């Protein structure tokens, strides 16, 4: 796969998974089986958004051992994304830079794919985005909720992709109040008296402490279920060695680990353990997943490490995570959350 250009390799992976050629692993550890905002997960290691933008292979990724799978980002209308090339491997840094720009086939196609995959057991989330040319971006998130309501197990409001100009401004105080206010109103309308599926907010790692406090406050005010920390970074940590390190876009993988874990810890402090957090960014081993959990994550997600280590990574992470928990005297993953 690594001999192919990155996007071709990605497409080939999706085709192989669709053809049933993916690996199979079922985690049966009672130490790792957990609950995230009412979602029952066989293990806390999820697939992050961006791998399966159109919900084509969620079943295969659950069968490969992920504890939950987040599809998307999906926007109401299909859009082509940015001109190619827009995805770059940084092999010497075990990283990737992408400026895909929410390329996806839109909500109708996503819904049809989700419908076809629903006979698979396991938790599938829909990560919602906004069209680049949308006049009312907040309305796009509400449209996503309405269109996919009842079809997935949770939603993520993604306001942190760096490749849709202005999207991350929704993390600012007034814009966030408007967004979360309208999302929670739609959620109440859609659920009526029935319980609502969890709705998470996905944030960038490039946030200062004042902004973090404000986001936590808004999340609590509007009843958002949890926060996913983090998306890719627009920063470029010192010491990147690979040829493509100066490409524009969001950086993910190993060099994102320390920044995203620091921001996760700041969110854990700001929310005093009250808001469930999902840790993402640079996880490539059981040790990394364990560090995120101890920094305050109730569950974790990964994407970039799959590119370098392949899908056998999920089994390795689950086994290593269980061994580390036991070695430190934790009877269950729950006990380790926020103990760093
Ligand atoms: C090629 C690529 C595409 C991505 N697309 C999305 C996306 O559509 N929506 C989103 O919320 N995150 C997207 N992400 C971000 C990932 O979900 C994740 O937050 C980030 O890559 C950090 O995790 P990692 O270091 O394990 O990859 C994308 C990441 C990559 C590498």
């Amino acid at each position: 796969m690594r001999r192919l250009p990155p996007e071709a390799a990605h497409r080939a992976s999706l085709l192989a998974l669709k053809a049933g050629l993916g690996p199979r692993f079922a985690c049966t550890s009672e130490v790792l089986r957990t609950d995230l905002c009412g979602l029952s997960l066989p293990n806390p290691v999820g697939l992050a958004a961006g791998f399966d933008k159109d919900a084509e292979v969620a079943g295969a990724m659950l069968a490969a051992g992920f504890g939950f799978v987040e599809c998307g980002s999906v926007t109401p209308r299909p859009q082509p994304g940015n001109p190619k090339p827009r995805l770059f491997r940084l092999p010497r840094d075990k990283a990737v830079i992408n400026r895909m720009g929410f390329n996806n086939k839109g909500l109708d196609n996503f819904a049809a794919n989700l419908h076809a995959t629903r006979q698979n057991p396991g938790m599938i989330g829909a990560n919602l985005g906004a069209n680049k040319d949308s006049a009312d971006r907040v309305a796009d998130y509400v449209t996503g909720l309405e269109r996919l309501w009842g079809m997935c197990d949770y939603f993520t409001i993604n306001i942190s992709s760096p490749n849709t100009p202005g999207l991350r401004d929704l993390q600012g105080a007034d814009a966030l109040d408007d967004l979360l206010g309208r999302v929670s109103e739609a959620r109440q309308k859609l659920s009526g008296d029935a319980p609502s599926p969890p709705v998470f907010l996905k944030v960038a790692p490039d946030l200062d402490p004042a902004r973090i406090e404000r986001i936590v406050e808004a999340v609590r005010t509007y009843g958002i279920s949890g926060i996913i920390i983090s998306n890719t970074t627009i920063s470029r940590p010192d010491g990147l060695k690979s040829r493509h390190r100066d490409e524009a876009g969001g950086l993910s993988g190993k060099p994102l680990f320390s920044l995203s874990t620091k921001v996760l810890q700041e969110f854990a402090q700001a929310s005093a353990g009250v808001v469930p957090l999902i840790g993402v960014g640079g996880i490539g081993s059981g040790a990394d997943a364990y560090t995120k959990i101890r920094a305050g994550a109730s569950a974790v997600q990964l994407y970039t490490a799959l590119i370098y280590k392949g899908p056998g990574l999920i089994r390795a992470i689950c086994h290593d995570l269980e061994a580390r928990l036991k070695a430190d005297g934790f009877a269950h993953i729950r006990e380790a959350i926020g103990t760093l």
Side-chain angles (χ1 to χ4, degrees), residues 88-170:
F88 304 89
R89 294 189 189 99
L90 279 66
R92 296 179 65 196
D93 304 298
K94 296 284 177 282
V96 158
I97 291 176
N98 93 82
R99 50 170 182 269
M100 307 297 286
F102 284 168
N103 56 307
N104 78 102
K105 294 185 178 148
L107 278 173
D108 287 342
N109 172 75
F110 190 98
N113 287 345
L114 260 190
H115 186 71
T117 203
R118 274 300 26 181
Q119 63 270 33
N120 294 288
M123 295 298 155
I124 302 176
N127 177 307
L128 305 178
N131 277 114
K132 187 179 175 183
D133 60 356
S134 173
D136 180 359
R137 289 203 166 140
V138 172
D140 282 12
Y141 294 98
V142 172
T143 302
L145 279 180
E146 288 169 347
R147 181 70 183 83
L148 301 176
W149 196 262
M151 302 189 68
C152 55
D153 299 297
Y154 73 89
F155 291 95
T156 297
I157 305 292
N158 173 23
I159 49 170
S160 48
S161 286
N163 303 310
T164 296
L167 190 83
R168 295 180 319 150
D169 295 346
L170 290 171

Side-chain angles (χ1 to χ4, degrees), residues 310-331:
L313 178 63
I314 311 156
R315 176 198 295 259
I317 289 183
C318 286
H319 286 159
D320 191 37
L321 190 54
E322 182 176 9
R324 283 172 192 276
L325 287 162
K326 284 184 175 163
D328 286 348
F330 296 115

Side-chain angles (χ1 to χ4, degrees), residues 48-50 53 73 98 127 158 202 230-231 252-253 280 282 302-304:
K53 287 192 186 257
S73 294
N98 93 82
N127 177 307
N158 173 23
K202 184 165 177 182
S230 72
N231 215 305
S252 58
V280 200
L302 61 89
Y303 176 177
T304 301

Side-chain angles (χ1 to χ4, degrees), residues 90 93-96 233 237 240 251-259 282:
L90 279 66
D93 304 298
K94 296 284 177 282
V96 158
T233 178
L240 292 178
L251 175 74
S252 58
K254 207 174 174 56
L256 175 60
F257 182 78
S258 58
L259 172 65

Side-chain angles (χ1 to χ4, degrees), residues 163-225:
N163 303 310
T164 296
L167 190 83
R168 295 180 319 150
D169 295 346
L170 290 171
Q171 295 176 133
D174 291 346
L176 192 61
D177 279 332
D178 179 38
L179 169 72
L180 298 188
R182 285 164 69 183
V183 162
S184 83
E185 200 179 301
R187 193 179 171 195
Q188 269 159 25
K189 227 183 260 169
L190 287 160
S191 55
D193 293 333
S196 160
V199 176
F200 300 126
L201 184 71
K202 184 165 177 182
V203 299
D206 311 305
L207 297 170
D208 59 42
R211 186 62 65 90
I212 289 172
E213 294 271 350
R214 189 64 188 79
I215 291 174
V216 169
E217 195 185 311
V219 158
R220 296 187 65 178
T221 303
Y222 295 103
I224 295 298
S225 319

